[in-house]
């Protein structure tokens, strides 16, 4: 390795090299000047490359084994012949240019004709331009104080690595710029609850002790360091006894990333930062390093390994997450996501228990349900009208006994209670999260943190530059340009049209599935197999739901790409604006995609079909479908369960496991390594090479999005599927460990980002929770039979019971009134002639003065349904607002601790100011007759203080 890496550093940072090495470098510089370029590589690398140690071999440190690698940049290289590789690389690096500064470079040796004509040494203009940009950018980085070291002799063909180290002075400067709060020497006692609450908390803590990870951070801290924004002028406030560990690896990499974003490359036609350089291919990737390996015999203890053992392992699925360690390793933004996911999963436990109780209540009471018993009673011999034209015949209502009994499992009075419970549950969840978020803000020293304005995105700067160039020839005075609504108007119109088009595609696919159900039902009804004809409804429902699931999974990927493309067209100014616009578009498209089939079944199916003798037809051939006699709630439950379980199992879990592994395999294949050599090869790789082959981190949007859609399944139609919270809970238990393993072992280490909340996702959650109240009100009143049963029991039942409810909901139809060509081909299918058949609707009988007109019972039920929606919505929202009002957003103990911190900080500065005043007074009281030397010393003391 001694002859494989090039060190690049500033003269200012060079004193960090040991004294002996500095002396060697002086000799090396003289030798370079005297001997020439041919010996530069060997001499300089001898001077810069000390003896390798274990840490250096693993790629976590520079060649000297002392300076830690804080960040990595990778770029594409073309392999040249070994005889010239070292010399050409060293000639181009910025350090040798620094050494030669002030004297003219010696003339280049003439190239051999064969060598000059060799295609291996010819470089096209594009690659040369990239090389020039890299050189300028790296030179600017060194001017910012960073230290660089290049490695092109790796085991990764065609990829070069630039290792970046931030010295102490740079870290201090950037920490002050970013106003990072760091712990001071001052500590204070954290006041715990007193009296009964203290005993209760101690009991709960002892009870839940086995559920906590085996980490030091989980012990109750009785003292806390007072935190203050870092300042170079007030370094005496902080404990700097160990400067190497004062800034942890996450903080160091984030500080370096700020420098990378701020540093510009101006050799191109426009100013470029690291994001622009990555986008234009000047650099292939930029990432901080993981702390070490997660497994293996020689893996040293590190935070990554600890996270893998105590968080990413499925064997600890029952334990709490080590949120503090997650934040320490990945940063506050990712820490808040997993904290939110943990709170959400915990809150699903009571919701799951109540949902299971509601489901069991339906199972226990199904035998006592009078409408179900009447459906199954064969003695009633109720003849129903055909379900389709011609090929379908009359059928006995008793054959729908199974469907009627199954509908009761989800359509019973307990589901109303469960809908109210889940609405209040959502309010409690939101309040619980706000309190937990405030506690984390206090523990992570984020109180008072405000999001600073991001750097403009590279694409935005490029568009502004283009606009400026167009106006240069028109105006002599340079003006600061920015993109206006007029500039973005074409993009806004494209967004609007494409969003409407994508939503229209979703509606078209749902309509296609409707046609599939209608045509398949008619085709199966013509089958000569009795078993096929008896299971027509179940077969059609299940296959249609599976088709919907497959379409939803495909369109989810398409819509994600479309939303990103549309957001890029808008050219948002900052990364935060880009992320929020992308989230909004993605959520709208994926929400419509996931819930349109469910909304159709819940609110439209069976209400647009018409009646016997006057059905509504599609394309003049297909009769609109109807709900089963038990209602559409059972079909809604089937669609909801298949969609929810399918998305969770296939999209959220299998895709998350399979896609990263597949991409990693493709990268290995591209690097010309066989799978049989992979394990042996990884042992020889440096840390930065191993991390290069990991999947890049693309943000938290996909993680949040799948949980928000799941939250919609849990709350929006929970009245029809009380087991939804249970399935969500089981999924999330796996999801947490799956995401943990992905972040720790499958992804490159993300850039640590500070955040005090979950951002726009909280507003989306609140919106979904509010909409859920309205949706559940309509599901209960219009989709279920809850309201019709109440109306019958209290208005039409002769004895106040449910006896006769079935007959009350069925209307009569005279079979002689069928339209031409729609009567059954087998009218004697039941073995007797049918004159009157029944169908589910509130209509006048054929012998009334107004046959088949809507009856007065229909209007009574409709009025009751609308009244229920209004009452349910207002009562539940009022109760949710009361919960929001009663529970304070900030826990009382946290509020007291924050106030205490402010007082302690004021006292600390007052004492410092008083000490400074006393010193100044003592300086003024010095006698004029004192010796000049004493006066000078005293003045120096005051000044230094």
């Amino acid at each position: 390795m001694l002859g494989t890496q090039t060190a690049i550093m500033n003269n200012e940072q060079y004193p960090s090299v040991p004294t002996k090495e500095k002396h060697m470098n002086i000799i090396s510089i003289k030798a370079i000047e005297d001997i020439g370029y041919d010996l530069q590589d060997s001499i300089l690398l001898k001077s810069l490359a000390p003896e390798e140690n274990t840490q250096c071999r693993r790629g976590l440190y520079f060649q000297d084994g002392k300076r830690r690698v804080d960040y990595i940049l990778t770029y594409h290289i073309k392999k040249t012949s070994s005889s010239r590789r070292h010399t050409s690389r060293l000639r181009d690096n910025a350090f040798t240019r620094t050494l030669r500064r002030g004297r003219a470079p010696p003339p280049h040796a003439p190239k051999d004709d064969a060598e000059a004509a060799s295609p291996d040494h010819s470089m096209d203009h594009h690659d040369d331009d990239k090389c020039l940009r890299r050189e300028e950018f790296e030179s600017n980085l060194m001017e910012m104080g960073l230290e660089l070291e290049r490695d092109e002799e790796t085991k990764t063909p065609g990829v070069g690595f630039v290792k970046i180290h931030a010295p102490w002075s740079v870290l201090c400067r950037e920490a002050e710029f970013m106003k990072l709060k760091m712990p001071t020497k001052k500590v204070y006692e954290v006041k715990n609850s007193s009296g009964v609450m203290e005993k209760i908390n101690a009991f709960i803590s002892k009870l839940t002790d086995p559920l906590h990870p085996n980490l030091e951070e989980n012990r109750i801290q009785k003292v806390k360091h007072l935190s203050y924004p870092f300042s170079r002028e007030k370094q005496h406030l902080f404990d700097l006894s160990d400067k190497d560990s004062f800034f942890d690896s996450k903080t160091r990499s984030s500080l370096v990333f700020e420098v990378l974003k701020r540093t510009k490359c101006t050799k191109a036609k426009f100013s470029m930062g690291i994001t622009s350089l990555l986008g234009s291919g000047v650099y292939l990737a930029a990432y901080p390093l993981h702390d070490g390996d997660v497994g293996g015999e020689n893996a040293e203890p590190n935070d990554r390994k600890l996270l893998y053992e105590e968080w990413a392992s499925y064997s600890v699925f029952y334990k709490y997450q080590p949120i503090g360690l997650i934040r320490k390793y990945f940063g506050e933004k990712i820490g808040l996501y997993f904290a939110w996911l943990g709170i959400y999963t915990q809150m699903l436990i009571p919701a799951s228990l109540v949902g299971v109780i509601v489901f069991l209540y339906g199972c226990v009471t199904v035998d006592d349900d009078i409408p179900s018993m009447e459906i199954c009673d064969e003695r009633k011999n109720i003849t129903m009208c055909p379900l389709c034209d011609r090929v379908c015949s009359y059928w006995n209502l008793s054959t729908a006994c199974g469907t009627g009994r199954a509908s009761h499992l989800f359509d019973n009075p307990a589901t109303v209670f469960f809908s109210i419970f889940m609405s209040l549950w959502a309010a409690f969840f939101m309040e619980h999260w706000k309190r937990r978020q405030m506690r984390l803000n206090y523990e992570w020293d984020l109180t008072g943190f405000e999001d600073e304005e991001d750097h403009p995105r590279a694409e935005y700067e490029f568009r502004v530059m283009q606009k400026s160039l167009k106006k240069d020839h028109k105006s002599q005075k340079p003006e600061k340009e920015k993109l206006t609504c007029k500039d973005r108007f074409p993009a806004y119109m494209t967004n609007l049209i494409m969003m409407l088009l994508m939503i229209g595609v979703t509606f078209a696919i749902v309509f296609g599935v409707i046609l599939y159900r209608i045509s398949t039902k008619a085709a199966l009804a013509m089958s000569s197999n009795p078993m096929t004809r008896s299971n027509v409804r179940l077969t059609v429902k299940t296959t249609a739901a599976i088709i919907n699931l497959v379409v939803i999974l495909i369109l989810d990927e398409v819509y994600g790409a479309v939303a990103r493309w549309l957001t890029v067209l808008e050219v948002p100014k900052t990364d935060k604006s880009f992320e929020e616009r992308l989230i909004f578009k993605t959520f709208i498209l994926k929400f419509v995609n996931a819930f349109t089939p469910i909304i159709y079944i819940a609110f439209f199916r069976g209400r647009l079909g018409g009646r016997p003798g006057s059905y509504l037809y599609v394309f003049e051939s297909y009769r609109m479908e109807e709900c089963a006699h038990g209602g559409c709630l059972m079909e809604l439950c089937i669609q909801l369960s298949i969609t929810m379980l399918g998305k969770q199992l296939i999209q959220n879990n299998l895709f998350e496991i399979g896609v990263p592994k597949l991409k990693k395999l493709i990268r290995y294949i591209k690097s010309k390594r066989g799978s049989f050599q992979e394990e042996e090869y990884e042992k020889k790789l440096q840390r930065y090479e191993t991390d290069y082959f990991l999947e890049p981190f693309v943000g938290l949007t996909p993680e949040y999005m799948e949980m928000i859609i799941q939250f919609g399944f849990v709350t929006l139609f929970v009245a029809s599927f009380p087991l939804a919270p249970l399935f969500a809970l089981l999924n999330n238990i796996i999801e947490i460990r799956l995401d943990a393993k992905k972040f720790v072992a499958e992804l490159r280490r993300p850039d640590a980002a500070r955040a005090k909340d979950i951002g726009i996702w909280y507003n989306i959650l609140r919106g979904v929770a509010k909409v859920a109240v309205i949706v559940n009100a309509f599901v209960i009143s219009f989709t279920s039979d809850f309201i019709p049963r109440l109306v019958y029991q209290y208005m039409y039942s002769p004895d106040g019971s449910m006896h006769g409810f079935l007959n009350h909901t069925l209307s009569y139809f005279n079979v002689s009134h069928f339209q031409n060509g729609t009567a059954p081909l087998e009218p004697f299918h039941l073995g007797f002639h049918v004159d009157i058949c029944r169908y589910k609707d509130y209509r006048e009988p054929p012998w009334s003065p107004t046959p088949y007109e809507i009856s007065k019972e229909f209007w009574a039920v409709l009025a009751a349904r609308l009244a229920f929606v209004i009452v349910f919505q207002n009562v539940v929202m009022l109760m949710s607002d009361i919960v929001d009002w009663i529970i304070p957003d900030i826990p009382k103990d946290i509020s007291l601790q924050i106030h205490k911190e402010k007082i302690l900080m004021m006292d600390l500065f007052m004492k410092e100011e008083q000490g400074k005043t006393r010193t100044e007074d003592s300086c003024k009281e010095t006698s004029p007759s004192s010796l000049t030397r004493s006066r000078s010393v005293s003045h120096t003391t005051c000044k230094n203080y």
Side-chain angles (χ1 to χ4, degrees), residues 780-901:
I780 294 171
S781 60
F782 285 91
T783 309
S784 74
D785 282 338
F786 177 73
I787 299 300
R789 291 184 184 190
L790 286 180
V791 172
Y792 173 78
Q793 186 174 3
Y794 292 104
M795 292 182 63
Y796 299 103
S797 176
D799 55 0
S801 68
M802 293 302 297
H803 289 286
F805 172 74
L806 179 64
N807 186 64
H808 179 75
T809 58
L810 296 177
S811 298
Y812 295 90
F813 178 73
N814 190 332
V815 298
S816 61
H817 295 163
F818 273 122
Q819 292 176 330
N820 293 332
T822 60
L825 296 176
E826 300 179 8
F828 293 94
H829 174 71
L830 297 178
F832 56 87
H833 179 71
V834 177
D835 293 321
I836 297 291
C837 64
R838 309 291 295 274
Y839 62 99
K840 188 174 182 179
D841 203 348
Y842 291 101
R843 291 184 179 270
E844 297 291 342
W847 53 81
S848 72
T850 55
Y852 308 125
E853 292 294 326
I854 293 175
S855 63
K856 61 180 181 180
E857 288 84 356
F858 170 84
W859 299 111
V861 171
L862 179 61
R865 282 173 166 168
L866 294 175
F868 176 83
V869 168
I870 296 172
V871 173
F872 182 91
Q873 173 186 335
N874 286 280
V875 169
V876 173
M877 285 191 173
L878 176 62
M879 294 171 69
S880 300
D881 290 339
I882 291 174
V883 170
D884 191 2
W885 176 70
I886 290 177
I887 302 177
D889 294 345
I890 305 177
K892 186 176 181 181
D893 60 327
I894 297 299
S895 179
L896 293 174
Q897 297 296 345
I898 293 174
H899 182 65
K900 184 177 181 180
E901 273 196 357

Side-chain angles (χ1 to χ4, degrees), residues 285-331:
Y287 52 90
L289 291 181
H290 280 294
D291 280 357
D293 295 322
V294 295
E297 299 176 357
N298 300 323
E300 297 179 358
N302 57 75
D303 287 343
R304 187 189 185 196
K305 184 180 180 182
L306 195 59
L307 282 171
Y308 191 82
E309 294 171 351
E310 295 295 332
W311 181 45
S313 174
Y314 291 105
S315 61
V316 294
F317 73 93
Y318 61 92
K319 290 188 176 183
Y320 293 114
Q321 299 180 88
I323 297 299
L325 186 59
I326 297 170
R327 172 253 180 178
K328 178 185 175 185
Y329 192 79
F330 291 110

Side-chain angles (χ1 to χ4, degrees), residues 901-915:
E901 273 196 357
K902 292 180 179 178
I903 294 175
L904 290 173
M905 186 60 68
M906 290 176 61
D907 291 343
L908 180 64
F909 284 114
M910 287 298 295
K911 289 179 181 178
E912 183 181 359
E913 192 67 28
Q914 290 172 2

Side-chain angles (χ1 to χ4, degrees), residues 714-729:
V714 168
T715 55
L716 287 175
F717 295 93
V718 73
S720 61
F721 191 38
L723 295 180
L726 175 63
F727 289 122
L729 173 64

